[in-house]
Amino acid sequence: MNRRKFIKNTCWSAIAFSLLDPSALFAGNKRTLSITMDDPNLFKRPVMPPTDRNLAILNALKNHNDLKAALFVCGKHIDNPKGKKLLESWDRNGHLIGNHTYSHHHLNSPKIDSDSFIEDIIRCEELINTYGSFARLFRFPFLKEGETAQKRDRIRSFLKKRGYKTGHVTIDTSDWYIEQRMRQRLEIDPDADVEPYRNYYIDHILREADFYDDLCLKVLGYSVKHTLLIHHNILNAMFLSDLLLALKKAGWSLIDAVDAFDDPVFAREPDIVPAGDSIIMALANEAGRFEEYLRYPGEDGKYEEAGMDALGL
């Protein structure tokens, strides 16, 4: 059974079961999830200026029991006075602030060497380490950790010596691609109906969450404290609150990111090359028994293109 057939069959089975006994759907399997958000920025976008976009995201988290997220900062996007104010707003609200490098280079590229990548990590750290909510959590750009064992292990060694824990993603998504498609529509027509994008987005996140949690159960035998990857963009400025409600209705318990990163899974170092992707996907790859569920990259816009095309999105 391939990955998409698995998701389809799992969803329909869950729906049928819940119709018989909704309370039994998640009995005995507590599923917890935290919000981690990459790439805060000040990009100009249609319909919503950067300050409004940032405030909407913060308000969505605040209004859901003051949920605390982790924000992974790409330094080049906020290295200015307005960017400093943006980070101050996250710091003031008690969200973790993590390192996502300064330049967002793709470590699996042979053009990027270990030394220059390390310098980029330090450059970002110097930009964010004065905030009270700064945490020594590092997230690899594109979730790529090196195309060779030598490069992978060099960076892992540096991070340990620097006191960092890898800010792994357990539930990977392509929210950036859905946002890109919606943004292109809004650039043409600022009054376009965005409800279909909202519905597709929420369905996408719920499907990916179910997939990665089921794979987690297969690989590890338990459901980890999940970290969901989404981005600081207009999609989440508009729909993060709706997404959080949908996750709760689907049986997920929302937890603070600081609690999620306590899970032992975040200390794991899968022995695979090329290294990276969701830590759950990487561990499945390392185990060598779950090939039918794997693909490379784990998530990408190309997997969503046909579905969005069919819906006219």
Side-chain angles (χ1 to χ4, degrees), residues 5-7 14 16 24 29 40 54 56 68 82 90-93 107 111 124 166 188 202 213 221 231 266:
K5 285 183 179 178
F6 160 78
I7 291 175
N29 181 26
N54 184 59
K68 303 302 184 185
K82 289 184 178 179
W90 282 76
D91 185 47
R92 189 165 55 249
N93 281 276
L107 187 57
K111 296 179 181 180
C124 183
T166 302
I188 297 170
I202 291 174
D213 189 56
H231 290 81
F266 296 103

Side-chain angles (χ1 to χ4, degrees), residues 67-109:
L67 186 66
K68 303 302 184 185
L71 184 72
F72 287 92
V73 177
C74 173
K76 67 179 181 179
H77 295 321
I78 50 84
D79 192 4
N80 53 59
K82 289 184 178 179
K84 182 178 180 180
K85 288 184 178 179
L86 186 153
L87 292 186
E88 286 173 349
S89 68
W90 282 76
D91 185 47
R92 189 165 55 249
N93 281 276
H95 301 289
L96 298 181
I97 295 176
N99 192 328
H100 198 39
T101 75
Y102 188 89
S103 305
H104 209 273
H105 290 312
H106 196 303
L107 187 57
N108 283 18
S109 169

Side-chain angles (χ1 to χ4, degrees), residues 3-4 7-8 11-12 15 171-175 178 195-211 228 235 239 242-244 246-247 250 252 299 303-304 307-308 311 313:
R3 185 178 187 273
R4 290 303 166 191
I7 291 175
K8 182 178 179 182
C11 289
W12 279 113
I15 291 170
I171 301 172
D172 196 3
T173 78
S174 295
D175 74 314
I178 301 168
E195 188 74 5
Y197 293 94
R198 170 198 174 278
N199 296 339
Y200 188 92
Y201 174 47
I202 291 174
D203 180 64
H204 169 73
I205 296 294
L206 294 179
R207 283 188 286 111
E208 298 312 309
D210 283 343
F211 169 76
L228 173 69
L235 189 74
F239 307 132
D242 293 341
L243 174 63
L244 296 177
L247 286 165
W252 289 94
E299 302 300 326
Y303 305 131
E304 307 305 320
M308 295 192 76
L311 294 170
L313 301 177

Side-chain angles (χ1 to χ4, degrees), residues 174-193:
S174 295
D175 74 314
W176 59 270
Y177 179 74
I178 301 168
E179 191 264 357
Q180 175 183 303
R181 300 265 300 226
M182 184 180 76
R183 176 162 36 90
Q184 290 170 347
R185 177 67 59 84
L186 289 171
E187 286 170 350
I188 297 170
D189 179 11
D191 296 322
D193 181 11

Side-chain angles (χ1 to χ4, degrees), residues 165-166 168 170 225 227 260-268 279:
K165 177 189 289 187
T166 302
H168 283 297
T170 66
K225 297 177 182 177
T227 51
F261 282 116
D262 280 342
D263 195 291
V265 74
F266 296 103
R268 299 285 293 269
I279 184 65

Side-chain angles (χ1 to χ4, degrees), residues 271-287:
D271 185 14
I272 59 171
V273 174
D277 280 331
S278 156
I279 184 65
I280 304 303
M281 189 76 77
L283 290 169
N285 190 354
E286 180 185 43

